[in-house]
Amino acid sequence: MTDETGWHTTRLKRALRARGCEGRCVDLADCGFDLTRHWHGLSIPGYGRELPDAVIVRGIAGGSFEQVTLRLGILHALRELGVPVYNDARAIERSVDKGMTSFLLHRAGIATPAAWVTESAPHAQRIVMREGAAGRALVLKPLFGSQGKGLTRAGHVDGAPAALPRLAPYGHVAYLQRFQAARTAPGFDWRILVVGGRAVAAMRRISAGWIHNVAQGARCEAADIPPALADLAIRATAALGLDYAGIDLMPAGEDRADGAGAVVIEVNGVAAWRGLQSTTEVDIAGLLVDDLLQRRLGIPLLADAVQGSAA
């Protein structure tokens, strides 16, 4: 399921072909419910009375509340019909809502920055003033957002007070996360990919600015996966019930090579991996497909497919 085809879908389809499977791209916006045509009550282009054996969610287009609800409803329905959805709608809903992500990480005892979510602008302003008076900065983020878009800081920023912006561009909701300053120059964070309960690849995202997203110009650098970071990333993925996830972590306090003291700042349930793939020889699309086929569908993997993918 994807709202756009390109590099990621080509990789996934190639990995599926290497394992004797066929991958088709379908936009959730083209799907719907039709209780009169087929036994399953769904309308999915190209499938008619049949259903896919499994679904990989690669992208969900934005839209109105009603449109997004319908698209997620299709994924919920597929799960109810016994079709494995990777990642399923429940997990995606948790990971795209930054407030729920922070809550679930906190509830699971996973190190993550302090965060506040409120519809009240006066309440948000009091939080900013209190944190600023203590010499701390906060990051205001869109509750539903990705790729570092719409991020701004408030509170005590670069030695001076910074006011809370208007909340209208943020849907009248303030998601405020305590800012984790870089401990090096240039600064960096880690992106770790977790697939099927294993940390399989990692990189450092390095940037002269305080935002470390690749889409905002950060540079990707290969990185080992220290056990402390792997454990943190795996636990964060499990806390949100994700099959796979891109976990973003920041050093906290002293920047230690073993990753101790890091905190989880983001969990990405529909994670892109083009930047990460540029830093590793691991076939990420192949790992995703293998996990889906073996763990979710119970299909044993052919040795020649594995060797062909690795080559």
Side-chain angles (χ1 to χ4, degrees), residues 139 148 151 153 157-158 179-189 205-214 216-219 250 265:
V139 182
L151 274 58
R153 290 182 294 176
V157 178
D158 296 332
F179 177 59
Q180 303 294 305
R183 305 292 171 174
T184 58
F188 74 92
D189 68 5
R205 304 186 300 184
I206 302 168
S207 174
W210 62 275
I211 300 176
H212 301 118
N213 297 78
V214 174
Q216 302 300 319
R219 174 171 56 87
M250 278 288 291
I265 56 172

Side-chain angles (χ1 to χ4, degrees), residues 22-104:
E22 178 189 359
R24 303 179 187 175
C25 292
V26 176
D27 192 338
L28 278 166
D30 296 329
C31 301
F33 292 97
D34 186 341
L35 307 187
T36 67
R37 293 180 60 191
H38 310 303
W39 65 271
H40 46 68
L42 295 179
S43 174
I44 303 176
Y47 283 90
R49 292 183 56 84
E50 303 302 320
L51 289 172
D53 297 302
V55 168
I56 300 172
V57 181
R58 178 55 246 145
I60 303 175
S64 68
F65 178 77
E66 290 80 4
Q67 288 173 314
V68 173
T69 297
L70 172 58
R71 293 163 194 170
L72 289 170
I74 299 297
L75 299 180
H76 281 296
L78 285 164
R79 185 196 67 241
E80 294 297 324
L81 289 164
V83 177
V85 179
Y86 189 96
N87 288 303
D88 81 10
R90 294 170 298 183
I92 290 173
E93 286 168 348
R94 297 183 191 114
S95 64
V96 299
D97 177 350
K98 290 182 174 62
M100 181 56 68
T101 295
S102 291
F103 166 74
L104 290 172

Side-chain angles (χ1 to χ4, degrees), residues 104-150:
L104 290 172
L105 293 174
H106 176 74
R107 183 169 180 263
I110 295 167
T112 191
W116 298 261
V117 189
T118 179
E119 291 187 51
S120 168
H123 184 203
Q125 289 169 345
R126 288 194 295 271
I127 294 167
V128 169
M129 291 175 64
R130 185 180 70 228
E131 290 288 297
R136 292 189 287 260
L138 298 171
V139 182
L140 174 66
K141 302 181 179 183
L143 192 64
F144 307 118
S146 62
Q147 300 183 330
K149 297 176 181 177

